[in-house]
């Protein structure tokens, strides 16, 4: 398999973490791929018309995107690892946590593009403030939910952890740990796993 990859992307990190947890990393070749909303990358777009990473090319040549679909694909391989609980409340909780982590990331990426890519004279502070409010709300929700996480490593907790890792990379000034001791302690523990240590994002 080939993973169209960016070392800074938190969505790619979700997939890299799951691949390591499932013992699949030796079967996945990482192909560093440029992805930015203002410059279409023809190679990437030929596989994913949305021009986003991650995109996984399976051994059969199928191009799979986005991270949620790729995560389910890895889960479907017979590795013995299961990241999506089969059913019942555990499944909905894991899927909701994935939505929470990914939603935090969506707001963070929109902020990043607004403050980094958009020319200064076109920037809109209300937009940034609105996105930061989403990030803050998501962080407060994570703080309230962390006591229920236990030591689970599933699609929900991995997504949340990758979103916190991205804040460390690009939004250190938000000091997300301040006032959120439970999330901070939980993150410190999950970040000790080899799968997280080996995938620390690179700016
Ligand atoms: N929902 C997608 C989001 C992927 C995404 O936004 N990736 C970013 C990199 S972190 C990207 O490729 N951005 C390029 C663009 O928006 O054109 C997923 O879960 O895979």
């Amino acid at each position: 398999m080939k993973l169209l990859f960016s070392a800074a992307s938190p969505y790619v990190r979700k997939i890299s973490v799951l691949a390591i947890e499932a013992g699949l990393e030796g079967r996945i070749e990482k192909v560093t791929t440029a992805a930015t909303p203002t410059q279409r990358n023809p190679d990437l777009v030929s596989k994913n018309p949305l021009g986003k990473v991650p995109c996984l090319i399976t051994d059969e040549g199928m191009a799979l995107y986005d991270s949620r679909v790729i995560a389910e694909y890895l889960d479907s391989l017979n590795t013995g690892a299961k990241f999506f609980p089969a059913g019942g409340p555990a499944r909905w909780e894991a899927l909701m946590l994935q939505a929470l982590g990914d939603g935090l990331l969506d707001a963070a990426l929109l902020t990043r593009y607004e403050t980094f890519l958009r020319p200064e004279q076109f920037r809109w502070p209300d937009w940034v403030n609105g996105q930061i409010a989403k990030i803050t709300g998501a962080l407060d929700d994570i703080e309230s939910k962390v006591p229920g996480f236990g030591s689970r490593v599933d699609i929900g907790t991995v997504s949340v952890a990758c979103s916190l890792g991205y804040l460390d990379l690009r939004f250190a000034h938000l000091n997300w740990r301040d006032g959120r001791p439970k999330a901070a302690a939980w993150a410190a523990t999950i970040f000790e796993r080899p799968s997280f240590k080996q995938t620390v994002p690179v700016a």
Side-chain angles (χ1 to χ4, degrees), residues 70 75 96 119 152 159 183:
I70 300 169
D75 208 57
M96 276 301 300
R152 285 200 319 269
S159 301

Side-chain angles (χ1 to χ4, degrees), residues 32-104:
T32 298
T33 303
T36 169
T38 50
Q39 251 179 322
R40 302 275 280 171
N41 171 345
D43 282 346
L44 174 57
V45 164
S46 71
K47 314 276 188 318
N48 173 2
L50 303 175
K52 297 185 181 188
V53 290
C55 178
L56 183 82
I57 315 301
T58 68
D59 289 339
E60 294 74 33
M62 193 168 35
L64 296 179
Y65 56 88
D66 56 17
S67 66
R68 288 164 287 203
V69 175
I70 300 169
E72 289 226 37
Y73 178 75
L74 297 186
D75 208 57
S76 77
L77 302 176
N78 288 322
T79 62
K82 276 285 158 207
F83 304 114
F84 289 80
R91 178 170 177 79
W92 302 120
E93 193 186 332
L95 292 180
M96 276 301 300
L97 284 182
Q98 174 171 227
L100 181 59
D102 283 7
L104 189 163

